[in-house]
């Protein structure tokens, strides 16, 4: 029997993992990537001995990686050298107070109660509830497919409306556990990873802070790009072929059947199925014939973007932990600006990463590698922002935020700087609106309501990755790859 073939558009983490699954099932897999190397958003670069992860810096939900590596016939520990980061974050507040989020319960008790008397009991109750949110949401919403409306809207799922609290707003719901705004902020900022403000995110998303606290934040020696390297090794061992500098310009069809793709250089490739890992709204807008869905997708809610600064520094800043988060008293106004305007907030909440605290090889001896991430709104059509002014404002905001840590001279010690704006995210990875997390995860863009893993009309065109089901993040990319690969294998008649 002729070997069936699948063309995968994009070598992001989800595309690579899908290539590994499908090649293992005996399919002929060719991955076409526009850039010169794999990884997509999970990217990196090395300059003058400084290694920068330009996308993810936090490995969360390690058990999901364990399961997904096992599903590929290998193990996480065989492929990656992971260590737990504890404290996960060093949180800095405007009034100079600090909170180190740690698995050490005694330390948590002391720190929380120094901020709000008797708040440790609230913390334990929060963990209990968020544990329920995590386990139920993973089982019922994330780790499964929704092929039909009835898979989602049914009597069995009805109790989730009460147990997962999807209709309660996360931040207001925090009032059930804490009075102190700093503590409400400390366990809700993670909603940003879903592209949402805690003031509109469902309380279900307490699952994010839960998993960071309960399962930990981890770091692979060599940085997060090692996950890409490990998955690439698995896919290549299984026989998948990767072609770089190979942008796809069109998905070809004959009636309702996808026949293959056309590359930017005019070459046509044929296959039994096409799997698009590139950002789903981009695929509808740029690679498929015009249709109503493309316009509808443009009107959906997108996550915000970020300005990222990558600094090679000629001295070490031991004052900086690996993951430092600066939260502001203007917490709500911060999100309003980031979600609704393309501007840097006054006194922005921001994140600083110093990977050499976790792996000294990430910077040359006696020097430091520093990344600062300042959230900013996604691109808005018709607006032409003054990037120079925005970058300058964000840069100054980072320096100002570092001062309470005793860091006053960073500017003078920067050897080189690279900065990514929303435009960079858009150009590098074809992310619509430069939205770093793609379509956001509000209630109307979750589960069955999120664009699915198979095209509704072209049944041999599939989608995998952040803007499709189950959603954004590296662990989710791996789950998305497994679920979609299973469906392709089934549809091509290769099941069991
Ligand atoms: C700044 C930032 C920080 C993050 N932090 C974390 C974190 O700490 N932890 C975590 O778990 N997640 C994090 N994430 C989210 C995570 O990186 C993404 O959800 C995940 O990497 C998305 O993978 P993907 O495969 O879905 O898509 P992508 O990585 O976008 O892959 C799609 C690929 O398709 C390629 N492509 C696009 N168009 C074409 C075309 N026409 N032809 C060929 N190829 C094409 C792109 O170049 C890209 O390689 C972060 C993301 C960002 C941006």
């Amino acid at each position: 029997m002729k070997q069936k073939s699948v063309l995968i558009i994009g070598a992001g983490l989800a595309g690579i993992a899908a290539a590994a699954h499908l090649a293992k099932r005996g399919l002929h897999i060719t991955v076409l990537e526009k850039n010169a190397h794999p990884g997509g958003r999970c990217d990196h670069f090395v300059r003058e001995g400084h290694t920068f992860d330009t996308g993810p810096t936090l490995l969360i939900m390690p058990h999901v990686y364990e399961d997904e590596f096992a599903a590929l016939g290998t193990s996480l520990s065989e492929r990656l050298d992971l260590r737990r980061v504890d404290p996960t974050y060093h949180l800095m507040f405007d009034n100079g107070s600090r909170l180190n989020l740690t698995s050490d319960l005694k330390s948590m008790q002391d720190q929380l109660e120094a901020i709000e008397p008797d708040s440790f009991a609230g913390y334990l109750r929060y963990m209990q509830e968020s544990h329920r949110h995590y386990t139920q949401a993973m089982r019922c919403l994330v780790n499964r497919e929704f092929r039909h409306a009835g898979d989602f809207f049914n009597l069995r799922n009805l109790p989730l409306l009460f147990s997962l609290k999807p209709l309660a707003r996360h931040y207001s719901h925090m009032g059930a556990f804490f009075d102190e705004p700093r503590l409400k902020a400390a366990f809700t900022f993670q909603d940003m990873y879903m592209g949402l403000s805690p003031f509109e995110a469902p309380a279900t998303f307490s699952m994010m802070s839960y998993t960071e606290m309960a399962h930990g934040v981890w770091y692979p020696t060599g940085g997060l790009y090692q996950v890409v390297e490990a998955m690439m090794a698995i896919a290549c061992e299984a026989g998948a072929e990767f072609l770089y500098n190979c942008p796809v310009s069109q998905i070809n069809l004959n009636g309702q059947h996808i026949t293959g793709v056309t590359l930017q250089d005019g070459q046509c490739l044929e296959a039994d199925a096409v799997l698009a890992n590139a950002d789903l709204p981009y695929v509808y807008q740029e690679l498929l014939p015009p249709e109503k869905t493309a316009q509808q997708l443009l009107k959906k809610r997108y996550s915000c973007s970020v300005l990222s600064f990558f600094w090679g520094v000629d001295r070490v800043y031991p004052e900086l932990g690996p993951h430092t988060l600066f939260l502001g008293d203007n917490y709500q106004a911060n999100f309003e600006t980031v979600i609704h305007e393309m501007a840097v907030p006054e006194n922005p909440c921001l994140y600083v990463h110093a990977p050499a605290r976790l792996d000294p090889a990430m910077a040359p001896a006696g020097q430091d590698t520093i990344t600062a991430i300042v959230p900013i709104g996604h691109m808005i059509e018709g607006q032409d922002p003054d990037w120079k002014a925005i970058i300058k404002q964000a840069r100054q905001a980072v320096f100002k935020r570092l001062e309470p840590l005793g860091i006053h001279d960073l500017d003078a010690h920067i050897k080189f700087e690279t900065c990514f704006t929303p435009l960079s995210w858009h150009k590098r990875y074809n992310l619509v609106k430069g939205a770093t997390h793609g379509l956001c995860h509000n209630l109307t863009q979750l589960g069955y309501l999120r664009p699915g893993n198979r095209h509704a009309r072209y049944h041999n065109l599939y989608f995998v990755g952040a803007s499709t089901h189950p959603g954004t993040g590296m662990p989710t990319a791996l789950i998305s790859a497994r679920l979609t690969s299973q469906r392709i294998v089934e549809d091509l008649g290769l099941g069991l």
Side-chain angles (χ1 to χ4, degrees):
M1 205 166 73
K2 187 175 168 279
Q3 190 184 23
K4 300 247 174 157
S5 58
V6 180
L7 291 168
I8 301 183
I9 306 171
L13 188 60
I16 304 168
H21 279 286
L22 294 169
K24 273 186 175 284
R25 295 307 297 262
L27 288 153
H28 185 272
I29 301 302
T30 310
V31 185
L32 308 159
E33 167 56 49
K34 78 183 262 291
N35 291 331
H37 58 265
R41 273 168 264 191
C42 191
D43 210 343
H44 81 152
F45 73 91
V46 182
R47 183 166 163 190
E48 296 175 29
H50 300 263
T51 302
F52 298 88
D53 280 312
T54 53
T57 52
L58 309 157
L59 192 151
I60 59 169
M61 304 184 190
H63 49 286
V64 171
Y65 289 81
E66 268 162 24
D67 292 348
E68 298 303 328
F69 276 65
L72 285 164
T74 179
S75 75
L76 185 61
S77 57
E78 201 180 307
R79 301 282 179 166
L80 286 170
D81 176 26
L82 288 188
R83 58 168 284 194
R84 187 167 179 162
V85 185
D86 195 354
T88 53
Y89 300 96
H90 295 87
L91 303 185
M92 301 280 304
F93 299 101
D94 276 351
N95 68 354
S97 60
R98 300 173 186 206
L99 174 60
N100 296 341
L101 297 183
T102 166
S103 61
D104 177 340
L105 283 182
K106 179 71 180 80
S107 165
M108 278 303 277
Q109 178 167 20
D110 293 346
Q111 294 186 77
L112 293 175
E113 300 208 337
I115 293 178
E116 178 186 331
D118 301 326
S119 56
F120 186 60
Y123 172 69
L124 293 181
R125 278 189 291 111
Y126 179 67
M127 289 299 280
Q128 205 172 18
E129 182 183 272
S130 54
H131 164 76
R132 189 180 71 228
H133 290 176
Y134 182 83
T135 45
Q136 289 189 352
M138 289 302 281
R139 191 178 71 245
C140 304
L141 298 176
V142 177
N143 220 336
R144 56 162 302 185
E145 261 196 288
F146 296 98
R147 296 190 184 183
H148 312 285
D151 297 338
F152 189 64
F153 302 104
N154 59 45
L155 282 177
R156 236 186 8 264
N157 283 346
L158 200 60
L160 297 179
L161 270 180
F162 305 97
S163 61
L164 287 180
K165 300 212 161 59
L167 303 177
R169 299 274 175 263
H170 193 184
Y171 190 87
S172 11
H173 184 58
M174 293 306 284
F177 309 102
F178 307 110
D179 291 328
E180 173 57 54
R182 281 171 292 167
L183 298 188
K184 292 181 187 176
F187 301 105
T188 54
F189 69 82
Q190 297 85 348
D191 295 353
M192 280 292 277
Y193 306 161
M194 298 285 109
L196 289 173
S197 145
F199 296 88
E200 60 173 343
T204 321
F205 284 128
S206 64
M207 62 185 280
M208 297 304 296
S209 46
Y210 168 78
T211 187
E212 290 189 341
M213 294 303 294
H215 309 128
V217 168
W218 297 72
Y219 190 78
T221 304
L224 269 285
Y225 194 72
Q226 295 306 312
V227 178
V228 171
E229 302 269 24
M231 200 43 79
M232 277 300 293
I234 300 169
C236 292
E237 285 160 22
E241 181 190 12
F242 287 80
L243 303 177
Y244 301 108
N245 300 310
C246 233
V248 170
S249 59
Q250 182 177 299
I251 295 176
N252 301 327
L253 43 122
N254 180 4
Q256 296 199 358
H257 185 75
I258 299 294
T259 55
V261 302
T262 302
L263 304 181
Q264 212 171 65
D265 66 7
Q267 208 187 138
C268 289
L269 304 177
E270 293 187 347
D272 294 296
V274 168
L275 171 58
N277 172 220
D279 197 26
L280 182 141
Y282 156 82
V283 174
Y284 273 87
Q285 263 138 56
E286 304 293 336
L287 305 186
L288 284 169
E291 59 170 299
K292 209 169 71 201
T293 317
Q295 289 314 310
Q296 288 167 342
L297 279 166
L298 265 190
K299 293 194 189 115
K300 288 201 178 275
R301 287 278 312 275
Y302 287 75
S303 68
C304 65
S305 191
V306 295
L307 280 175
S308 299
F309 295 96
F310 305 105
W311 290 315
V313 175
D314 70 7
R315 54 156 290 197
V316 178
Y317 285 95
E319 304 89 334
L320 271 179
H323 304 296
T324 310
L325 216 103
F326 297 86
L327 297 172
D329 289 345
N330 58 341
Y331 195 55
Q332 182 162 12
N334 229 287
F335 286 105
E336 297 282 324
T337 310
V338 168
I339 305 283
H340 301 294
E341 295 166 37
M342 215 189 63
V344 177
E346 282 270 323
N347 188 33
C349 295
L350 55 91
Y351 162 72
V352 176
H353 177 47
R357 289 307 90 71
L358 298 167
D359 178 359
M362 301 300 277
Q367 305 193 13
D368 230 340
T369 295
I370 297 177
T371 299
I373 298 190
V374 183
I376 182 173
H378 62 60
M379 289 157 61
I380 298 170
E381 210 181 328
Q383 286 194 9
D384 185 17
D386 181 350
W387 289 116
K388 253 190 170 160
I390 290 176
I391 290 170
K392 188 171 167 202
Q393 188 196 349
R395 205 170 180 270
Q396 289 310 320
V398 178
F399 297 148
K400 191 159 166 247
R401 288 297 230 157
L402 290 171
E403 283 179 2
L405 282 174
I407 298 176
H408 303 282
D409 60 352
L410 178 61
D411 200 5
H413 288 277
I414 293 175
K415 295 190 297 174
F416 62 84
E417 170 177 300
T418 298
C419 176
F420 283 12
T421 66
L423 200 58
S424 325
W425 296 107
H426 169 66
K427 284 190 176 160
R428 277 171 186 264
Y429 312 110
N430 283 337
L431 299 180
V432 169
K433 300 177 195 267
T436 41
H437 296 277
L439 290 176
C440 71
H441 296 70
N442 53 332
L443 275 188
T444 54
Q445 295 180 182
L446 275 180
Y448 179 72
L449 302 172
R450 199 167 179 79
N453 301 111
R454 191 173 82 167
H455 196 284
R457 197 163 61 250
Y458 311 128
H459 285 181
N460 62 338
L461 173 60
Y462 302 84
F463 300 100
V464 72
S467 284
T468 176
H469 177 73
T472 186
M474 293 171 73
T476 336
L478 300 179
I479 294 174
S480 181
R482 175 173 46 77
L483 294 175
T484 312
S485 303
Q486 273 164 6
R487 185 153 200 196
I488 296 174
V489 164
E490 222 177 278
D491 288 356
L492 290 178
L494 305 172
L496 299 178

